[in-house]
């Protein structure tokens, strides 16, 4: 654990009150059950144990807000993670959805963990649901979403350092690896929704700080899925282009997980008001987190995750006199 802390100190930006925000997204594989042993044994199920929870909590503690995917109906792992984060000083909160009760949705929840010393929720917590009349109209279009999202995107607003920002997390459908049509529809629908939302905020005279983050199941930056994400002006930081996403990967890396927002030069869509620091990356927990356990990648994926956390840093510049 001390080795893990040392590497985190080196790899993740220091958080300074009213100065910066470090936002992250992490798909925690089947984050539900827990075996209450320090190290689980070969016959134990689930394989995630108390040592794994300590490693997960240590990583989460370095961010201000983390969007989590694959939280399950069983909340034991999440509850124990919060117990570690809040010992001895209770300052971590959680906001999460109910379970998506479908096989295609993998019985998952969306969740946000946040450090209440640094950020506060400020009112909005909503799942994005497409109106029926829009779905009916989309049936005549080739790539438009003609059904609800399999796992409903989740939007929550936060306040920090005089600034309000809205995070929208999603876990895009993943089926046949060769069939990207349904994924493309969901990704394009997210891009459309956020573009309309950003424009509405600007029309009302409010600053726009919409950021989407999560598991988009985008294999490559050169292809129709990434094109769908960026079709309405969303952009991902170039610092994430070569960031490793999963523990199984060799180069070139995938683009499964993403953090995206509207930047300057997008015509009528206002750009993000928060200032991106041009610092972002993923955190590879393999060597520091599990150095002495001699685990295979597959075994490690069930204890911590197959995905790596992805993060980006933003500056807070309080604007006095505004709302």
């Amino acid at each position: 654990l001390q080795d893990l802390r040392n590497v985190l100190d080196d790899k993740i930006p220091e958080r300074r009150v009213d100065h910066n925000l470090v936002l992250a997204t992490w798909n925690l594989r089947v984050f539900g059950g827990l075996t209450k042993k320090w190290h689980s044994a070969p016959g134990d199920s689930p394989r995630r144990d108390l040592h794994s929870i300590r490693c997960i909590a240590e990583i989460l503690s370095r961010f201000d807000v983390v969007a989590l995917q694959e939280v399950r109906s069983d909340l034991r792992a999440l509850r124990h993670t919060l117990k570690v984060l809040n010992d001895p000083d209770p300052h971590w909160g959680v906001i999460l959805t109910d379970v998506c009760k479908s096989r295609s949705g993998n019985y998952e929840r969306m969740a946000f963990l946040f450090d209440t010393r640094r950020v506060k929720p400020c009112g909005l917590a909503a799942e994005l649901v497409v109106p029926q009349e829009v779905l009916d109209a989309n049936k005549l279009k080739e790539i438009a979403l003609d059904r609800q999202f399999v796992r409903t995107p989740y939007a929550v607003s936060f306040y920090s350092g005089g600034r309000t920002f809205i995070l929208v997390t999603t876990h895009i459908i993943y089926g046949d690896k060769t069939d990207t049509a349904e994924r493309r529809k969901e990704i394009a629908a997210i891009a459309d929704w956020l573009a309309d939302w950003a424009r509405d905020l600007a029309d009302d005279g409010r600053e726009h700080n919409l950021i989407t983050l999560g598991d988009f199941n985008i294999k490559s930056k050169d292809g129709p899925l990434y094109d769908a994400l960026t079709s309405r002006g969303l952009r991902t930081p170039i610092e994430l282009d070569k960031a490793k996403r999963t523990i199984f990967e060799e180069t070139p890396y995938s683009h499964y997980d993403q953090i995206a927002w509207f930047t300057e030069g997008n015509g009528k869509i206002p750009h993000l008001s928060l200032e991106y620091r041009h610092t972002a990356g993923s955190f590879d927990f393999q060597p520091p987190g599990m150095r002495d356990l001699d685990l295979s990648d597959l075994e490690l994926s069930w204890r911590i995750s197959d995905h790596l956390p992805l993060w980006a840093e933003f500056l807070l510049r309080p604007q006095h006199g505004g709302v």
Side-chain angles (χ1 to χ4, degrees):
L1 286 170
Q2 187 56 54
D3 288 341
L4 178 60
R5 295 183 189 107
N6 293 340
V7 177
L8 284 163
D9 288 343
D10 182 57
K11 299 295 185 181
I12 307 299
E14 179 185 3
R15 299 183 301 153
R16 293 191 285 165
V17 174
D18 291 343
H19 176 77
N20 67 341
L21 279 172
V22 185
L23 307 179
T25 179
W26 198 0
N27 180 324
L28 281 170
R29 187 174 196 179
V30 192
F31 198 57
L34 177 71
T35 293
K36 294 183 180 180
K37 298 179 181 178
W38 184 246
H39 290 312
S40 59
D44 290 332
S45 181
R47 303 310 298 275
R48 186 170 281 121
D49 51 31
L50 296 177
H51 174 260
S52 304
I53 292 296
R54 288 293 298 269
C55 291
I56 290 169
E58 192 65 48
I59 296 167
L60 292 172
S61 72
R62 303 308 176 102
F63 308 116
D64 293 309
V65 185
V66 188
L68 297 182
Q69 299 87 47
E70 289 205 30
V71 177
R72 306 302 288 272
S73 57
D74 184 345
L75 293 175
R76 279 178 292 177
L78 179 62
R79 287 199 303 267
H80 276 265
T81 300
L82 283 166
K83 185 182 296 185
V84 174
L85 287 169
N86 284 317
D87 182 21
D89 177 21
H91 57 266
W92 278 86
V94 61
I95 299 176
L96 72 167
T97 66
D98 197 0
V99 179
C100 175
K101 293 186 177 181
S102 72
R103 182 174 300 176
S104 56
N106 203 28
Y107 304 96
E108 296 177 18
R109 305 173 188 262
M110 302 287 188
F112 288 101
L113 288 181
F114 53 96
D115 187 340
T116 60
R117 300 171 302 180
R118 303 264 301 167
V119 300
K120 306 289 184 185
C122 63
L124 175 72
E127 295 178 82
L128 307 189
V129 179
V130 185
Q132 186 60 47
E133 56 266 31
V134 173
L135 296 177
D136 292 340
N138 285 349
K139 291 177 182 179
L140 302 176
K141 302 175 183 178
E142 183 179 354
I143 65 166
L145 189 67
D146 55 5
R147 52 159 178 76
Q148 291 296 338
F149 295 98
V150 169
R151 288 174 283 235
T152 310
Y154 192 41
V156 175
S157 62
F158 296 94
Y159 179 86
S160 181
R163 309 300 293 274
T164 299
F165 57 98
I166 299 172
L167 301 182
V168 182
T169 185
T170 190
H171 189 183
I172 296 298
I173 186 175
Y174 188 83
D176 189 329
K177 295 181 180 179
T178 62
D179 180 10
T180 61
E182 293 304 306
R183 272 182 277 169
R184 186 181 178 190
K185 290 178 182 180
E186 288 202 346
I187 295 170
I190 286 287
D192 287 341
W193 192 298
L194 293 180
D196 291 342
W197 197 349
R199 193 177 290 110
D200 289 344
L201 290 172
D203 290 344
D204 290 343
R206 290 178 285 171
E207 71 173 6
H208 144 61
N209 283 315
L210 280 173
I211 299 172
T212 185
L213 67 177
D215 184 353
F216 289 84
N217 275 314
I218 296 174
K219 180 61 179 176
S220 171
K221 195 173 180 181
D222 300 316
L225 299 181
Y226 189 82
D227 290 346
L229 178 64
T230 58
S231 61
R232 296 295 297 276
L234 286 169
R235 295 293 180 264
T236 60
I238 60 172
E239 288 79 11
L240 292 181
D241 284 356
K242 295 184 179 180
K244 187 177 179 180
R245 262 54 170 201
T246 81
I247 65 173
F248 300 117
E249 285 184 311
E250 304 292 339
T251 55
Y253 298 141
S254 75
H255 287 74
Y256 293 132
D257 307 282
Q258 285 292 356
I259 303 173
W261 59 88
F262 296 105
T263 61
E264 293 186 34
N266 290 312
K268 297 180 180 179
I269 301 176
H271 63 82
L272 192 74
S273 298
L274 290 173
E275 181 181 341
Y276 171 54
R277 289 234 30 210
H278 296 281
T279 52
S282 61
F283 179 73
D284 192 345
F285 49 77
Q286 291 171 275
M290 295 292 181
R291 175 172 291 140
D292 299 326
L293 296 187
D294 192 26
L295 298 175
S296 68
D297 287 347
L298 181 61
E299 184 74 13
L300 179 61
S301 75
W302 292 111
R303 292 174 185 251
I304 296 187
S305 186
D306 51 343
H307 287 246
L308 305 178
L310 202 69
W311 59 270
E313 183 185 12
F314 300 86
L315 284 178
L316 290 171
R317 300 198 182 281
Q319 296 180 346
H320 302 288
V323 177

